[in-house]
Protein backbone atom coordinates (compact mmCIF):
# COMPACT_ATOMS: atom_id res chain seq x y z
CA UNK A 1 0.00 0.00 0.00
CA UNK A 2 1.01 3.61 -0.73
CA UNK A 3 0.65 6.60 1.62
CA UNK A 4 0.73 10.24 0.49
CA UNK A 5 1.16 12.92 3.17
CA UNK A 6 0.30 16.60 2.63
CA UNK A 7 -2.64 15.38 0.56
CA UNK A 8 -4.76 18.52 0.99
CA UNK A 9 -1.93 20.80 -0.19
CA UNK A 10 -1.18 22.28 -3.60
CA UNK A 11 1.08 19.48 -4.81
CA UNK A 12 -0.22 16.58 -2.67
CA UNK A 13 -3.77 17.10 -3.85
CA UNK A 14 -2.79 16.92 -7.50
CA UNK A 15 -0.70 13.79 -6.91
CA UNK A 16 -3.58 12.02 -5.14
CA UNK A 17 -5.90 12.93 -8.05
CA UNK A 18 -3.34 11.52 -10.49
CA UNK A 19 -3.22 8.26 -8.48
CA UNK A 20 -7.03 8.05 -8.52
CA UNK A 21 -7.06 8.71 -12.28
CA UNK A 22 -4.65 5.79 -12.77
CA UNK A 23 -6.74 3.61 -10.43
CA UNK A 24 -3.78 3.21 -8.07
CA UNK A 25 -5.06 2.41 -4.55
CA UNK A 26 -3.52 4.69 -1.91
CA UNK A 27 -4.02 6.20 1.51
CA UNK A 28 -4.05 10.01 1.82
CA UNK A 29 -3.02 11.45 5.19
CA UNK A 30 -5.07 14.55 6.00
CA UNK A 31 -5.40 16.74 9.07
CA UNK A 32 -9.00 17.79 8.56
CA UNK A 33 -11.77 15.63 7.13
CA UNK A 34 -13.75 18.84 6.47
CA UNK A 35 -10.97 20.21 4.24
CA UNK A 36 -10.53 16.87 2.48
CA UNK A 37 -14.23 16.58 1.64
CA UNK A 38 -14.45 20.26 0.61
CA UNK A 39 -11.93 19.50 -2.15
CA UNK A 40 -13.47 16.10 -2.95
CA UNK A 41 -10.56 13.90 -1.80
CA UNK A 42 -12.93 11.57 0.05
CA UNK A 43 -14.79 10.73 -3.16
CA UNK A 44 -11.81 9.77 -5.31
CA UNK A 45 -11.88 6.12 -6.45
CA UNK A 46 -9.35 3.92 -4.64
CA UNK A 47 -8.28 6.67 -2.23
CA UNK A 48 -8.69 6.06 1.50
CA UNK A 49 -8.47 9.27 3.54
CA UNK A 50 -6.80 8.78 6.92
CA UNK A 51 -7.06 11.55 9.49
CA UNK A 52 -3.94 12.40 11.49
CA UNK A 53 -1.12 14.80 12.27
CA UNK A 54 2.37 13.91 11.03
CA UNK A 55 3.78 15.07 14.38
CA UNK A 56 1.55 12.72 16.40
CA UNK A 57 3.21 9.30 16.75
CA UNK A 58 -0.02 7.35 17.30
CA UNK A 59 -1.71 8.93 14.27
CA UNK A 60 1.27 8.15 12.08
CA UNK A 61 1.61 4.55 13.34
CA UNK A 62 -2.06 3.91 12.47
CA UNK A 63 -1.71 5.57 9.06
CA UNK A 64 1.44 3.55 8.24
CA UNK A 65 -0.16 0.19 8.97
CA UNK A 66 0.35 -2.00 5.88
CA UNK A 67 2.21 0.75 3.98
CA UNK A 68 5.35 -0.09 2.00
CA UNK A 69 5.93 3.14 0.03
CA UNK A 70 5.42 6.75 1.16
CA UNK A 71 5.42 10.12 -0.58
CA UNK A 72 6.56 12.60 2.07
CA UNK A 73 5.18 16.13 1.72
CA UNK A 74 4.49 18.82 4.31
CA UNK A 75 4.27 22.61 4.33
CA UNK A 76 7.26 24.91 3.92
CA UNK A 77 7.18 26.05 7.55
CA UNK A 78 9.55 26.51 10.46
CA UNK A 79 8.87 22.99 11.77
CA UNK A 80 9.28 21.21 8.40
CA UNK A 81 12.63 19.61 9.26
CA UNK A 82 11.46 18.30 12.64
CA UNK A 83 8.09 17.13 11.27
CA UNK A 84 9.62 15.22 8.35
CA UNK A 85 12.64 13.79 10.19
CA UNK A 86 10.41 12.40 12.95
CA UNK A 87 8.07 11.03 10.31
CA UNK A 88 10.98 9.25 8.59
CA UNK A 89 11.94 7.63 11.92
CA UNK A 90 8.34 6.42 12.33
CA UNK A 91 8.41 5.02 8.77
CA UNK A 92 11.51 2.98 9.65
CA UNK A 93 9.89 1.66 12.84
CA UNK A 94 6.71 0.74 10.94
CA UNK A 95 8.60 -1.31 8.32
CA UNK A 96 8.05 1.05 5.35
CA UNK A 97 10.45 0.13 2.54
CA UNK A 98 10.75 3.20 0.32
CA UNK A 99 10.26 6.92 1.07
CA UNK A 100 9.98 9.39 -1.78
CA UNK A 101 10.90 12.78 -0.34
CA UNK A 102 9.12 15.70 -2.02
CA UNK A 103 11.94 18.19 -1.88
CA UNK A 104 12.91 21.29 -3.86
CA UNK A 105 15.83 22.68 -5.87
CA UNK A 106 16.00 26.19 -7.28
CA UNK A 107 16.60 26.64 -11.00
CA UNK A 108 18.98 29.60 -10.51
CA UNK A 109 22.47 28.73 -11.75
CA UNK A 110 24.74 28.82 -8.69
CA UNK A 111 21.83 29.25 -6.22
CA UNK A 112 23.24 28.35 -2.78
CA UNK A 113 20.74 26.10 -0.95
CA UNK A 114 22.28 27.09 2.38
CA UNK A 115 21.12 30.69 1.85
CA UNK A 116 17.36 29.91 1.79
CA UNK A 117 15.98 28.15 4.83
CA UNK A 118 13.54 25.88 3.00
CA UNK A 119 16.03 24.46 0.48
CA UNK A 120 18.48 24.14 3.38
CA UNK A 121 15.87 22.21 5.41
CA UNK A 122 15.02 20.02 2.41
CA UNK A 123 18.69 19.06 2.07
CA UNK A 124 18.92 18.30 5.81
CA UNK A 125 15.81 16.09 5.58
CA UNK A 126 17.30 14.37 2.51
CA UNK A 127 20.47 13.66 4.54
CA UNK A 128 18.40 12.27 7.41
CA UNK A 129 16.47 10.01 5.03
CA UNK A 130 19.66 8.80 3.35
CA UNK A 131 21.06 7.85 6.76
CA UNK A 132 17.88 6.10 7.89
CA UNK A 133 18.50 2.77 6.16
CA UNK A 134 15.25 3.14 4.17
CA UNK A 135 15.25 3.08 0.39
CA UNK A 136 14.93 6.70 -0.78
CA UNK A 137 14.27 8.87 -3.81
CA UNK A 138 14.34 12.68 -3.76
CA UNK A 139 11.93 14.48 -6.07
CA UNK A 140 13.29 18.03 -6.42
CA UNK A 141 11.09 20.44 -8.39
CA UNK A 142 11.97 24.07 -9.04
CA UNK A 143 9.39 26.85 -8.54
CA UNK A 144 5.85 25.63 -9.31
CA UNK A 145 4.08 27.39 -12.21
CA UNK A 146 1.03 27.39 -9.93
CA UNK A 147 2.62 30.02 -7.64
CA UNK A 148 1.67 32.62 -10.30
CA UNK A 149 -2.00 31.85 -9.59
CA UNK A 150 -1.44 33.70 -6.30
CA UNK A 151 -1.03 36.86 -8.42
CA UNK A 152 -4.22 36.17 -10.41
CA UNK A 153 -6.41 38.72 -8.59
CA UNK A 154 -4.01 41.62 -9.32
CA UNK A 155 -3.48 40.40 -12.88
CA UNK A 156 -7.21 40.30 -13.65
CA UNK A 157 -7.94 43.56 -11.82
CA UNK A 158 -5.03 45.75 -12.96
CA UNK A 159 -3.41 43.82 -15.82
CA UNK A 160 -0.18 43.85 -13.78
CA UNK A 161 2.15 41.14 -12.51
CA UNK A 162 3.83 42.95 -9.61
CA UNK A 163 6.87 41.06 -8.29
CA UNK A 164 10.30 42.07 -6.94
CA UNK A 165 12.23 39.88 -9.41
CA UNK A 166 13.94 42.66 -11.44
CA UNK A 167 14.89 41.01 -14.76
CA UNK A 168 15.99 37.61 -13.45
CA UNK A 169 14.97 34.30 -15.02
CA UNK A 170 13.20 31.38 -13.38
CA UNK A 171 12.30 28.00 -14.90
CA UNK A 172 8.99 27.10 -13.23
CA UNK A 173 7.57 23.59 -13.60
CA UNK A 174 3.88 22.56 -13.76
CA UNK A 175 2.71 20.52 -10.77
CA UNK A 176 0.86 18.33 -13.29
CA UNK A 177 4.28 17.16 -14.60
CA UNK A 178 5.59 16.48 -11.08
CA UNK A 179 2.41 14.56 -10.26
CA UNK A 180 2.91 12.23 -13.24
CA UNK A 181 6.46 11.41 -12.09
CA UNK A 182 5.40 11.00 -8.44
CA UNK A 183 2.53 8.72 -9.42
CA UNK A 184 4.81 6.43 -11.43
CA UNK A 185 7.40 6.33 -8.67
CA UNK A 186 4.72 5.38 -6.16
CA UNK A 187 3.18 2.76 -8.41
CA UNK A 188 6.33 1.13 -9.77
CA UNK A 189 9.11 2.00 -7.29
CA UNK A 190 12.69 1.95 -8.59
CA UNK A 191 14.91 5.04 -8.89
CA UNK A 192 16.25 4.28 -5.41
CA UNK A 193 19.17 6.45 -4.25
CA UNK A 194 18.41 8.96 -7.02
CA UNK A 195 17.78 12.71 -6.77
CA UNK A 196 15.36 13.70 -9.51
CA UNK A 197 15.54 17.43 -10.26
CA UNK A 198 12.76 18.92 -12.39
CA UNK A 199 12.39 22.36 -13.96
CA UNK A 200 10.00 23.56 -16.62
CA UNK A 201 11.08 23.65 -20.28
CA UNK A 202 12.03 27.35 -20.43
CA UNK A 203 13.98 29.87 -18.37
CA UNK A 204 11.69 32.90 -18.39
CA UNK A 205 11.96 36.53 -17.31
CA UNK A 206 8.89 38.03 -15.66
CA UNK A 207 8.24 40.05 -18.86
CA UNK A 208 7.98 36.70 -20.65
CA UNK A 209 5.74 35.23 -17.94
CA UNK A 210 3.41 38.27 -18.18
CA UNK A 211 3.45 38.01 -21.98
CA UNK A 212 2.34 34.38 -21.89
CA UNK A 213 -0.47 35.13 -19.43
CA UNK A 214 -1.53 38.03 -21.67
CA UNK A 215 -1.60 35.79 -24.76
CA UNK A 216 -3.62 33.13 -22.92
CA UNK A 217 -6.21 35.55 -21.55
CA UNK A 218 -6.38 37.87 -24.57
CA UNK A 219 -5.89 40.85 -22.23
CA UNK A 220 -2.86 43.10 -21.70
CA UNK A 221 -0.72 41.99 -18.77
CA UNK A 222 2.57 43.74 -17.99
CA UNK A 223 5.28 42.96 -15.48
CA UNK A 224 5.96 45.70 -12.95
CA UNK A 225 9.25 45.27 -11.05
CA UNK A 226 8.43 46.35 -7.52
CA UNK A 227 10.63 46.71 -4.43
CA UNK A 228 10.74 44.37 -1.45
CA UNK A 229 8.79 46.73 0.84
CA UNK A 230 5.72 46.62 -1.42
CA UNK A 231 5.98 42.84 -1.78
CA UNK A 232 6.42 42.36 1.95
CA UNK A 233 3.30 44.44 2.73
CA UNK A 234 1.27 42.55 0.12
CA UNK A 235 2.34 39.17 1.53
CA UNK A 236 1.65 40.14 5.13
CA UNK A 237 -1.67 41.73 4.07
CA UNK A 238 -2.60 38.47 2.36
CA UNK A 239 -2.12 36.53 5.59
CA UNK A 240 1.42 35.16 5.22
CA UNK A 241 3.29 34.74 8.50
CA UNK A 242 6.25 37.02 9.28
CA UNK A 243 8.55 33.95 9.36
CA UNK A 244 7.42 32.85 5.93
CA UNK A 245 7.91 36.36 4.54
CA UNK A 246 11.43 36.47 6.02
CA UNK A 247 12.17 33.16 4.29
CA UNK A 248 10.99 34.57 0.95
CA UNK A 249 13.33 37.53 1.45
CA UNK A 250 16.27 35.12 1.82
CA UNK A 251 15.18 33.37 -1.38
CA UNK A 252 14.80 36.70 -3.21
CA UNK A 253 18.32 37.86 -2.27
CA UNK A 254 19.83 34.66 -3.61
CA UNK A 255 17.67 34.75 -6.75
CA UNK A 256 18.69 38.35 -7.50
CA UNK A 257 22.36 37.45 -7.20
CA UNK A 258 21.93 34.31 -9.42
CA UNK A 259 19.83 35.79 -12.23
CA UNK A 260 20.22 33.07 -14.86
CA UNK A 261 18.33 29.78 -14.69
CA UNK A 262 19.08 26.30 -15.92
CA UNK A 263 16.56 24.05 -17.65
CA UNK A 264 16.70 20.43 -16.46
CA UNK A 265 14.38 18.00 -18.24
CA UNK A 266 16.20 14.71 -17.57
CA UNK A 267 13.46 13.55 -15.16
CA UNK A 268 10.70 14.40 -17.66
CA UNK A 269 12.64 12.42 -20.28
CA UNK A 270 13.30 9.44 -17.98
CA UNK A 271 9.59 9.15 -17.10
CA UNK A 272 8.24 9.93 -20.59
CA UNK A 273 6.47 13.10 -19.38
CA UNK A 274 5.94 15.83 -22.00
CA UNK A 275 7.09 19.09 -20.34
CA UNK A 276 4.23 21.58 -19.92
CA UNK A 277 5.21 24.98 -21.29
CA UNK A 278 4.23 28.15 -19.44
CA UNK A 279 2.02 29.09 -22.41
CA UNK A 280 0.08 25.80 -22.02
CA UNK A 281 -0.14 26.30 -18.26
CA UNK A 282 -1.48 29.85 -18.75
CA UNK A 283 -4.09 28.61 -21.25
CA UNK A 284 -5.23 25.89 -18.82
CA UNK A 285 -5.68 28.46 -16.06
CA UNK A 286 -6.80 31.37 -18.28
CA UNK A 287 -10.12 31.71 -16.45
CA UNK A 288 -8.35 32.09 -13.09
CA UNK A 289 -6.07 34.77 -14.58
CA UNK A 290 -9.08 36.56 -16.10
CA UNK A 291 -10.97 36.89 -12.80
N1 LIG B 1 6.01 26.51 -3.91
C1 LIG B 1 6.96 26.11 -4.72
O1 LIG B 1 7.18 26.71 -5.78
C2 LIG B 1 7.78 24.89 -4.37
C3 LIG B 1 8.75 24.45 -5.26
C4 LIG B 1 9.48 23.30 -4.96
C5 LIG B 1 9.25 22.61 -3.78
N2 LIG B 1 8.32 23.07 -2.91
C6 LIG B 1 8.09 22.29 -1.69
O2 LIG B 1 6.94 21.52 -1.91
C7 LIG B 1 6.38 21.13 -0.66
C8 LIG B 1 4.89 21.14 -0.75
O3 LIG B 1 4.45 22.41 -1.13
P1 LIG B 1 2.90 22.70 -1.32
O4 LIG B 1 2.81 24.11 -1.81
O5 LIG B 1 2.25 21.59 -2.05
O6 LIG B 1 2.44 22.66 0.21
P2 LIG B 1 1.08 23.16 0.86
O7 LIG B 1 0.06 23.54 -0.17
O8 LIG B 1 1.47 24.15 1.90
O9 LIG B 1 0.56 21.84 1.56
C9 LIG B 1 1.19 21.27 2.65
C10 LIG B 1 0.43 20.03 3.05
O10 LIG B 1 1.09 19.46 4.18
C11 LIG B 1 0.11 19.22 5.19
N3 LIG B 1 0.74 19.25 6.50
C12 LIG B 1 1.58 20.18 6.99
N4 LIG B 1 1.94 19.87 8.25
C13 LIG B 1 1.30 18.71 8.54
C14 LIG B 1 1.26 17.88 9.69
N5 LIG B 1 1.95 18.18 10.79
N6 LIG B 1 0.50 16.77 9.64
C15 LIG B 1 -0.24 16.45 8.54
N7 LIG B 1 -0.22 17.20 7.41
C16 LIG B 1 0.53 18.31 7.43
C17 LIG B 1 -0.91 20.34 5.00
O11 LIG B 1 -2.11 20.02 5.65
P3 LIG B 1 -3.25 21.13 5.94
O12 LIG B 1 -3.99 21.29 4.63
O13 LIG B 1 -4.06 20.51 6.99
O14 LIG B 1 -2.53 22.39 6.35
C18 LIG B 1 -1.02 20.33 3.48
O15 LIG B 1 -1.83 19.26 3.06
C19 LIG B 1 6.99 22.06 0.39
O16 LIG B 1 7.86 21.32 1.20
C20 LIG B 1 7.76 23.08 -0.44
O17 LIG B 1 8.94 23.50 0.22
C21 LIG B 1 7.57 24.17 -3.19
Amino acid sequence: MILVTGATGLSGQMIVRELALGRVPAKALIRSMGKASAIGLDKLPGIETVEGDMRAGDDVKAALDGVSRVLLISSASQDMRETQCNFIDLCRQAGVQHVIKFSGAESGIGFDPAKFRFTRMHEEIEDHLEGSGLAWTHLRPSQFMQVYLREAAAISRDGELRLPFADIELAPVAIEDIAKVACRLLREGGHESESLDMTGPEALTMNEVAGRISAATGRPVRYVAIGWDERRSALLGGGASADFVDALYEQLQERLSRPRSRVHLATHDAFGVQPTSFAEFARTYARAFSG
Side-chain angles (χ1 to χ4, degrees), residues 75-82 84-85 101 103 113 116-127:
S75 326
S77 59
Q78 299 308 311
D79 66 354
M80 178 170 76
R81 179 181 40 224
E82 195 189 338
Q84 296 198 8
C85 288
K101 153 77 183 132
S103 193
F116 171 43
R117 71 189 72 173
F118 293 130
T119 44
R120 188 169 66 232
M121 282 187 211
H122 280 309
E123 293 205 345
E124 289 166 355
I125 299 162
E126 289 177 358
D127 288 346

Side-chain angles (χ1 to χ4, degrees), residues 97-101 126 129-138 190-196:
Q97 287 155 25
H98 186 183
V99 173
I100 297 149
K101 153 77 183 132
E126 289 177 358
L129 177 57
E130 289 179 27
S132 70
L134 291 160
W136 57 268
T137 307
H138 306 321
H191 297 274
E192 293 174 8
S193 308
E194 289 182 18
S195 292
L196 303 172

Side-chain angles (χ1 to χ4, degrees), residues 95-112:
V96 170
Q97 287 155 25
H98 186 183
V99 173
I100 297 149
K101 153 77 183 132
F102 196 100
S103 193
E106 283 274 332
S107 59
I109 296 167
F111 188 100
D112 180 355

Side-chain angles (χ1 to χ4, degrees), residues 5-12 29-32 35 52-55 73-77 79-80 83-84 101-105 118 122 141-144 147 150 175:
T5 73
T8 48
L10 194 58
S11 52
L29 184 70
I30 47 127
R31 275 199 285 205
S32 147
K35 189 168 182 183
D53 192 301
M54 291 168 75
R55 291 166 303 192
I73 307 177
S74 70
S75 326
S77 59
D79 66 354
M80 178 170 76
T83 300
Q84 296 198 8
K101 153 77 183 132
F102 196 100
S103 193
F118 293 130
H122 280 309
S142 61
Q143 183 194 49
F144 303 153
V147 300
R150 294 182 189 143
I175 299 179

